[in-house]
Amino acid sequence: MRPLEFGWYLPTHGDTTAYGLAEAQIAGSVELCERVVAAAEKAAFEYLLIPVGSTCWEAWISGAFMAARSATIKPLIAARPGYINPVLMAKMIATFDQMSGGRICINLIAGQNESEVEAEGVRYAKEERYALMEEEVSILKALWTTSGPVHFAGKFHTITGAHVRPRPLQKPHPKFYLGGGSRQAWEMSAKHSDVHLFWGDLPDKIAENIAEIREMARAHGRENEIGFGMRLQIICREDESEAWEAADQLVRHASERLRQERNTLYNNSVANLRVQQLAREHGDLLLPHLWTGITKVRPGAGIAVVGNPAQCADQLQQFIDVGCHSFCLSGYLHDEEAERFGRLVRPILAEHNRGRLAA
């Protein structure tokens, strides 16, 4: 069995305990980032998801500075198709890997919000972005592992005699993560990802999806190489009633405008549509401690594990038992929730999964 790993989230865009309530908002800042990184590292999180988007601070610069302010945690930074020349990106990632002592992993993102992608000057439709991503990841891997000059002729890129220095410190290269619900996302993971991250769903459905993607990976000889995980929110308190109060506080002040934006700006994302479908079909609870409430106000990973430490650990264990080994988590406030996870939940999971968690 694969070792279990846990990742946390860096809210460069700011933090909150209540969407839509002005006095509950915390602006993005260096100080906020430092608090979150320190808490996540102390709680033994292995990696740190750096978000991208118009409201976020630039991910590569943020990740580099946070790597310099920490000792063990690995920034998980997006390689988005069409944003950076792949030869330059290969050199950037390899340099980051060497400078940080092997502390970078790569998040493959095609983009959820079409208007945002267009506003940033990327004119490819989503289907084309996945095709472009496939070319760019193939180029990255070739540049990092080929002994001589790299030649590549594709639909989007033509490269003649390219090479990069340095090579990555991690061998053969840093790990690739991808979260997505479309067939194109699954195909991309089957061919290239080390970890495919699912957004919140029912454990039985996750088991079905794992089996299907693993079979797709078999076509590339990678059925034993690809791993699987979950991207989830977590709201843990020592008393269950306090956890549910914190969950309700997160969404009770959200404006109708915020809810409508969530419904309209991300309707080209299969993963977002699946999350919304689950909320419609099951209401607020998929399972007694798997809550859909944040999907009303937040796109993306809006399904949360809610409860006391034993209940949260049990819900995560259900995903472990169906084949997930990686958990990319977040919670509010991000420094405080990271501390609670490390103190209250991680020890229970370590006890139930002896030998699978780092000391």
Side-chain angles (χ1 to χ4, degrees):
M1 290 187 291
R2 290 171 180 261
L4 298 180
E5 64 173 18
F6 294 89
W8 198 244
Y9 179 86
L10 184 68
T12 60
H13 46 78
D15 212 345
T16 187
T17 54
Y19 282 94
L21 188 64
E23 54 266 38
Q25 309 307 308
I26 298 173
S29 68
V30 174
E31 293 75 20
L32 171 62
C33 289
E34 288 179 330
R35 289 199 305 273
V36 173
V37 171
E41 192 161 72
K42 186 174 181 181
F45 284 99
E46 285 89 352
Y47 62 92
L48 185 73
L49 175 61
I50 315 289
V52 295
S54 60
T55 63
C56 303
W57 292 25
E58 202 285 313
W60 287 95
I61 301 301
S62 300
F65 271 87
M66 289 304 106
R69 285 167 160 80
S70 56
T72 59
I73 202 163
K74 290 184 175 184
L76 172 59
I77 306 180
R80 294 189 288 172
Y83 280 80
I84 301 174
N85 174 281
V87 179
L88 174 60
M89 183 179 290
K91 185 179 281 283
M92 286 170 56
I93 294 169
T95 300
F96 194 122
D97 202 39
Q98 289 284 349
M99 289 283 191
S100 66
R103 290 194 295 127
I104 187 172
C105 35
I106 306 156
N107 192 19
L108 298 175
I109 298 176
Q112 300 179 52
N113 183 336
E114 296 302 306
S115 61
E116 186 172 273
V117 171
E118 291 174 2
E120 294 172 344
V122 176
R123 298 301 179 187
Y124 300 107
K126 190 169 186 180
E127 294 75 15
E128 289 182 296
R129 294 199 301 274
Y130 272 112
L132 176 58
M133 180 191 291
E134 204 287 324
E135 283 195 12
E136 293 185 351
V137 174
S138 296
I139 291 168
L140 293 179
K141 289 185 172 181
L143 288 166
W144 291 331
T145 60
T146 303
S147 58
V150 170
H151 306 276
F152 184 91
K155 177 181 177 182
F156 303 97
H157 293 289
T158 300
I159 294 171
T160 304
H163 60 87
V164 297
R165 293 292 184 274
R167 296 294 181 93
L169 183 63
Q170 299 177 77
K171 301 302 179 188
H173 48 68
K175 290 201 300 186
F176 287 90
Y177 292 68
L178 187 152
S182 69
R183 296 296 299 184
Q184 281 186 298
W186 287 15
E187 286 283 3
M188 187 71 191
S189 271
K191 186 172 182 179
H192 287 296
S193 292
D194 295 280
V195 178
H196 185 90
L197 289 170
F198 300 103
W199 291 353
D201 210 315
L202 296 167
D204 288 348
K205 182 64 174 178
I206 296 299
E208 293 175 11
N209 293 346
I210 286 174
E212 189 167 354
I213 296 176
R214 196 180 296 282
E215 187 60 33
M216 293 164 69
R218 189 183 302 278
H220 305 287
R222 302 187 69 250
E223 67 271 22
N224 296 320
E225 294 180 27
I226 188 169
F228 299 94
M230 300 297 301
R231 172 76 181 98
L232 294 162
Q233 306 286 337
I234 187 163
I235 304 171
C236 182
R237 300 294 185 272
E238 295 190 53
D239 181 85
E240 181 186 0
S241 64
E242 293 179 8
W244 285 113
E245 172 59 26
D248 181 63
Q249 175 68 16
L250 264 178
V251 300
R252 72 166 66 132
H253 300 284
S255 66
E256 185 59 31
R257 177 174 172 270
L258 186 62
R259 295 169 189 263
Q260 286 302 315
E261 285 180 353
R262 190 273 303 175
N263 287 332
T264 58
L265 294 179
Y266 300 88
N267 57 13
N268 196 38
S269 163
V270 172
N272 267 295
L273 292 174
R274 172 60 179 167
V275 167
Q276 293 172 26
Q277 177 191 2
L278 286 166
R280 288 194 305 272
E281 292 178 354
H282 296 270
D284 284 347
L285 289 176
L286 300 182
L287 292 170
H289 299 284
L290 198 60
W291 181 58
T292 68
I294 301 176
T295 64
K296 300 171 184 175
V297 298
R298 183 196 192 280
I303 292 179
V305 175
V306 184
N308 64 34
Q311 292 163 339
C312 289
D314 178 71
Q315 182 59 71
L316 293 172
Q317 188 67 46
Q318 292 181 45
F319 291 115
I320 294 170
D321 291 344
V322 299
C324 293
H325 81 281
S326 184
F327 292 85
C328 186
L329 306 173
S330 50
Y332 308 87
L333 296 169
H334 283 75
D335 54 337
E336 296 177 3
E337 197 67 61
E339 186 278 332
R340 282 190 290 268
F341 179 87
R343 176 169 52 90
L344 300 173
V345 182
R346 186 182 174 98
I348 301 174
L349 293 171
E351 177 65 24
H352 291 169
N353 301 274
R354 294 273 182 113
R356 294 190 66 187
L357 272 77

